[in-house]
Amino acid sequence: MAGANGTVLLLNPVQELAVDCNTPTQRYIHKGGDEDIDVSPPVIDISVIDLSSIQTSSPSAEKELEKLRTSLASCGCFQVIGHGMTESFLEQVHRIGRDFFALPLKEKAKWSRTAEDTEGYGNDSELSEHQLLDWNDRLYLVTNPQDQRKFQFWPQNPENFRDILQEYTEKIILLNEVVLKALSRSLNLKENCFLDQYGENPNMVTRFNYYPPCLRPDLTLGVKQHADGSAITFLLQDNEVDGLQVLKDDQWFSVPTIPNALLVNVGDQVEIMSNGIFKSPMHRVVTNPKRERTTVAVFCSPDPSRYIGPAEELISDASPRLYKKIKNYVGIFFENYQLGKRAIEAVKM
Ligand code: OGA
Ligand code: NI
């Protein structure tokens, strides 16, 4: 099959495998391997933070900030409400993803990733012959800075896809600022302490995830365990089907979906900026034997040309600097990812 610009596609969607037979083939099976998969571990009691109550200096705001600090220090994530987006808007965002993956393969293939690119519609990249693959198809798009958008990969079907994604990106840029300010305040730092490391124009990548049903959730993962290379990730989950799990104190927990809330997790870059106080959590996605699941993840990072590092105010004799100053962490992240290593280990002092 040839893509928009004529190059050979890397296309072999899991969705197509799942049509004939929801039983995974060898390349997807974790048997006897690295991960023991418990599909229904205990549910994590994760803090729900009302952002609208934080933006004052009242005692209730202080309490909410304290809740934020403890949850990021213990499990690296929280659910955010009071973010200013309506339930119907979030439904639309979810729906453009769901409707896109429901299109015939031939239609979706118009926006396929090519051999030269990481963006577009595709599935798990095969980096080596022996790699276990994720039971997941995705649509991966750089959404900010605007001049870096590659519209040849932005679907025009469903017809409101681009408008909704544009609007969502604008809203997430604002939300990202509010969250970064709250994170700084919760550590008694100046409000702009983390935000200043970002530069003028944050880097945003949106990944629509599609997980077809899979008859062997005990042997297959939607996404293998990983930590995010972002500073902050915003995840719009699927109101109908859960699947995300997070590692806390060496135990896996399922992350519940709360309607109208976004799941926020810190990525490696906030772990670095906070000098390790906030933890970038390991997480993974399990599959479901009966139902498909669609999610929308937005990864926010500082401008890659800027140096980031632990906030100076957090460094003292009692808490020495743990991470080097680095730039383009996302680049470092993917280099290490290909070698099966955690990038954060490579930037420790
Ligand atoms: C990711 C991710 C979780 C999910 O895309 O990095 O962790 O539930 N997604 O889709
Ligand atoms: Ni992730």
Side-chain angles (χ1 to χ4, degrees):
M1 208 180 297
N5 48 11
T7 33
V8 177
L9 302 179
L10 307 168
L11 198 64
N12 186 16
V14 179
Q15 193 173 12
E16 296 297 306
L17 293 176
V19 169
D20 302 327
C21 165
N22 294 345
T23 308
T25 57
Q26 213 56 36
R27 297 299 306 273
Y28 295 88
I29 290 185
H30 286 253
K31 197 169 47 188
D34 46 343
E35 291 192 53
D36 201 13
I37 307 168
D38 176 359
V39 286
S40 45
V43 174
I44 194 164
D45 182 18
I46 179 173
S47 297
V48 180
I49 306 284
D50 182 354
L51 265 196
S52 63
S53 76
I54 279 183
Q55 301 182 39
T56 61
S57 51
S58 65
S60 67
E62 294 304 319
K63 236 176 94 192
E64 206 72 358
L65 286 170
E66 173 62 18
K67 211 163 88 183
L68 179 66
R69 190 183 60 74
T70 26
S71 57
L72 288 182
S74 67
C75 71
C77 52
F78 63 96
Q79 310 261 17
V80 64
I81 57 168
H83 43 57
M85 286 181 256
T86 64
E87 197 156 356
S88 72
F89 178 68
L90 290 179
E91 262 171 37
Q92 274 186 306
V93 175
H94 190 257
R95 200 175 313 129
I96 56 168
R98 200 194 55 198
D99 290 354
F100 172 75
F101 289 109
L103 294 170
L105 177 61
K106 215 171 145 208
E107 181 68 9
K108 289 190 291 260
K110 290 182 186 165
W111 296 284
S112 278
R113 184 176 76 212
T114 59
E116 299 80 41
D117 226 300
T118 50
E119 287 183 59
Y121 166 63
N123 57 341
D124 203 2
S125 307
E126 283 192 46
L127 305 170
S128 82
E129 210 183 311
H130 305 291
Q131 177 195 341
L132 287 169
L133 297 175
D134 291 340
W135 192 258
N136 159 286
D137 294 332
R138 78 284 302 260
L139 172 64
Y140 193 76
L141 300 169
V142 171
T143 45
N144 205 62
Q146 293 211 19
D147 61 7
Q148 288 176 25
R149 292 180 180 177
K150 293 184 177 166
F151 283 113
Q152 71 265 35
F153 298 116
W154 286 50
Q156 284 175 300
N157 188 357
E159 66 170 13
N160 59 349
F161 185 96
R162 292 184 178 187
D163 288 345
I164 298 290
L165 184 56
Q166 161 66 20
E167 195 177 339
Y168 190 51
T169 302
E170 284 166 14
K171 291 188 157 131
I172 293 285
I173 289 174
L174 296 177
L175 181 58
N176 182 53
E177 285 182 22
V178 175
V179 167
L180 280 165
K181 286 181 180 174
L183 260 52
S184 299
R185 278 175 63 201
S186 79
L187 294 173
N188 290 320
L189 299 171
K190 278 198 220 86
E191 183 169 84
N192 282 339
C193 184
F194 293 151
L195 199 54
D196 283 347
Q197 297 208 29
Y198 256 72
E200 289 297 296
N201 219 344
N203 194 277
M204 307 244 160
V205 180
T206 301
R207 176 171 153 163
F208 292 84
N209 287 301
Y210 174 76
Y211 305 97
C214 176
L215 279 180
R216 296 304 302 266
D218 55 328
L219 298 177
T220 314
L221 284 169
V223 182
K224 287 181 281 294
Q225 64 167 310
H226 66 284
D228 292 343
S230 57
I232 307 265
T233 303
F234 296 91
L235 182 73
L236 179 61
Q237 297 209 74
D238 188 317
N239 282 341
E240 313 260 319
V241 187
D242 287 340
L244 179 62
Q245 298 188 349
V246 65
L247 193 66
K248 185 187 171 213
D249 305 327
D250 290 327
Q251 211 199 326
W252 288 107
F253 290 89
S254 359
V255 177
T257 303
I258 301 179
N260 207 27
L262 292 171
L263 180 82
V264 182
N265 70 268
V266 304
D268 290 353
Q269 298 189 68
V270 159
E271 179 168 324
I272 294 167
M273 292 182 204
S274 71
N275 202 34
I277 297 176
F278 295 148
K279 303 284 183 301
S280 169
M282 291 301 276
H283 53 285
R284 66 182 186 184
V285 178
V286 294
T287 59
N288 186 293
K290 294 205 179 78
R291 307 196 59 185
E292 57 184 15
R293 176 170 183 262
T294 306
T295 64
V296 188
V298 183
F299 305 98
C300 304
S301 300
D303 174 342
S305 69
R306 293 179 63 104
Y307 277 91
I308 64 151
E312 296 298 333
E313 298 86 331
L314 297 174
I315 296 170
S316 65
D317 288 344
S319 56
R321 170 192 290 277
L322 296 180
Y323 306 95
K324 298 172 195 159
K325 270 197 171 165
I326 36 104
K327 62 180 178 177
N328 188 19
Y329 184 79
V330 175
I332 301 174
F333 180 87
F334 283 110
E335 270 168 34
N336 280 272
Y337 193 81
Q338 295 200 352
L339 301 169
K341 292 189 188 158
R342 263 203 90 174
I344 197 139
E345 298 300 326
V347 302
K348 283 189 174 154
M349 297 296 287

